[in-house]
Amino acid sequence: MKKWDDQQALQIIRNSADSGQVLTHGIRQLVDCFGYVDEIAIDPLAKHFLRSKAEVYGVIQYYSDFRTCAPGRHVLRICQAESCQATGARKLTEYICDKTGITLGQTSKNQRLSLEPVYCLGLCANGPAAELDGQPMAGLNKTKINTLLDRLQS
Amino acid sequence: MSADDSFCVFVPGDMLAIALGADELVLALKEEAKVRNISLEIVRNGSRGMCWAETLLEVQTKNGRVAYANVSACDVKGLFDAGFLTGGDHAKCLGLTRKIPWLARQNRIIFNRCGIIDPLNIDEFKAAGGFSGLLIALQMSADEIIEQVIDSGLRGRGGAGFPTGIKWQTVAREESDTKYIVCNADEGDAGTFSDRLIMEGDPFRVIEGMTIAALANGAKTGIIYIRSEYPFAIKMMRAAIDKARGANWLGDNINGSEKSFDISVFVGAGSYVCGEETALLESLEGKPGIVRSKPPLPAVKGLHGQPTVINNVITLSAVPDILARSAKWHAELGINRSTGTLPFQLAGNVARGGLVEMAFGVSLRTLIEDFGGGSGDGSEIKAVQVGGPLGAYLPPDDFDVKTGYEEFAELGAGIGHGGIVVYGGDTDMKVQARYAFEFCAEESCAKCTPCRIGSIRGKELLEADTINTELVDELCQIMIEGSACAMGAMTPIPVQSAMKHWPQDFEGQGK
């Protein structure tokens, strides 16, 4: 992910709006580039997509992919949906939270890791499933998680 | 396929295989082949749906493909030593793929090519029957296509089970210069992955189905709404659309027919409710996915106020064969008013999870026990949830039910998108019921009060020290009668089915 850049963000917003795309497209482009939407972008988003600032804010709040603060360097999304529950996702999530000292939805103080819930990755026959920085993982257990977290800490 | 000195192996490139290390496997295969000076072609096919055997490595032999189950990079040396390139015996060998009972017993129509062809090879797609339904549709009038789809008895596979042909007829009769075909690939139900598998394994089939829908309705623009949790499906559909356009199967003057249609991909942003058709339309317009009041139906006033067909991926994927083989053929598959096949998905605590395509009418027990092989941890199965987070929990006593829309409705359940999640013996049904409310609270679009407040009150009621089931029932009734869409109106289904079948789990001290 790139560090937030006002000028580049403005360019992204302009390009998206000028090509006739909808508001969520513009926000998606920002999130794909910087990992989040800085609040400073709400004003130009509103202006270029002809929406009120409240509407822009409402869209960002509504969708779980969108956020207004930077995520950690690594984002671990752990599936919380039923199929993964049936294979022990709840206990595994508790274990991960204990080991990392943060809960779902939080970012570690050193900005190294964010934990997030995700509701179904479509890997339901091989739970528990998760995704680290876009890389899917299935059939998880404590051993695999330990290896993974050790790698992230080093 | 393989010349004397060259070998062809298949390693699925689908999201699950990759999650289980298929990319590392490919690297290891290439390296070992190089060391042994063997010429090796590696095809990244889609998944066969045998999730329990992933990563499933196949090799082309004189007698057909031979399969090796649960292969990882560390198995590669041993496989070469065992002569796997000519189908050599090995502890992980399953024999000829086509003879594996789990696959051979299925009735694969929608998934007939999935896992077999290279998903982006348009020539292989055509050689395996691809575009033959579209070619027939291009010779027909719109009314004739719709008549075929009505006669086939095809119903929406997204969950509601509405007759597809009737939906198309409504849109076709609307007079408007602009109409849309929207393919709903927001497959958010836990325990379902058939949309993902077909998009990743046979994307041209989805394009073919959407194009036939466009011909029947007079639409020029198609959009496929794919959830962001499916990055591999997004990439695959985009690549397939580009290839189809390049080969003149999309765009202007499709295959010289003077008909035009094109498709774009729209990526969701993490919202379960957006799978509901009117919320999906709002989302496509760049707004929060808040459900619209019906009427007007999307078929009359849909995307940007224009007549819009919204169909699920599997519904559209079922259409090409109806045109290619006949409506009568389709109508004769299945039972009663549930015609054709459904790709069932076995998930959760199950020994052999994966995709099982069968004609409607197969019993739940056959799916869970014969295909699924019972629970994954060896415990006695306590419950299954069919049809996603809003589906009923069913006890083993109900497993002899035949799969069908009406057959499930009689049990107070729904077949939904065909997802079956298995729960083992140690499951606390009160926790599952509470989760249904929690999920509703998390995903509610908050437009209507019964869903927004009811979900939170329900969660609180199930957190109490002593559970007042009468009050929970009363709350459920309010949510059923007063919610604007299925999210609030169906959340009571898992809750009430859990209370009905496992009352002992709701007695005594809560937690």
Side-chain angles (χ1 to χ4, degrees), chain A residues 28 62-65 82 85 120 122, chain B residues 228 268-270 283 287 289 423:
Chain A
R28 162 69 61 195
Y62 179 84
Y63 291 103
S64 54
D65 285 3
E82 289 91 331
Q85 288 170 14
C120 198
Chain B
S228 62
S283 186
K287 296 180 270 189
Y423 292 84

Side-chain angles (χ1 to χ4, degrees), chain A residues 59-150:
Chain A
V59 167
I60 296 170
Q61 290 293 304
Y62 179 84
Y63 291 103
S64 54
D65 285 3
F66 302 155
R67 46 159 84 220
T68 51
C69 54
R73 242 175 299 156
H74 299 289
V75 179
L76 179 62
R77 304 166 83 201
I78 313 161
C79 181
Q80 302 295 302
E82 289 91 331
S83 308
C84 287
Q85 288 170 14
T87 50
R90 283 200 191 94
K91 277 194 182 138
L92 193 71
T93 306
E94 272 174 37
Y95 180 76
I96 294 169
C97 292
D98 278 351
K99 276 212 82 160
T100 56
I102 50 175
T103 59
L104 291 182
Q106 287 186 335
T107 299
S108 64
K109 279 203 180 104
N110 61 8
Q111 289 289 311
R112 196 186 285 276
L113 178 70
S114 295
L115 292 184
E116 287 180 2
V118 61
Y119 292 91
C120 198
L121 293 163
L123 309 175
C124 318
N126 305 61
E131 189 193 67
L132 178 72
D133 303 329
Q135 174 70 30
M137 299 175 291
L140 290 174
N141 51 38
K142 282 186 185 173
T143 318
K144 287 185 186 177
I145 287 295
N146 287 340
T147 315
L148 183 84
L149 292 178
D150 287 348

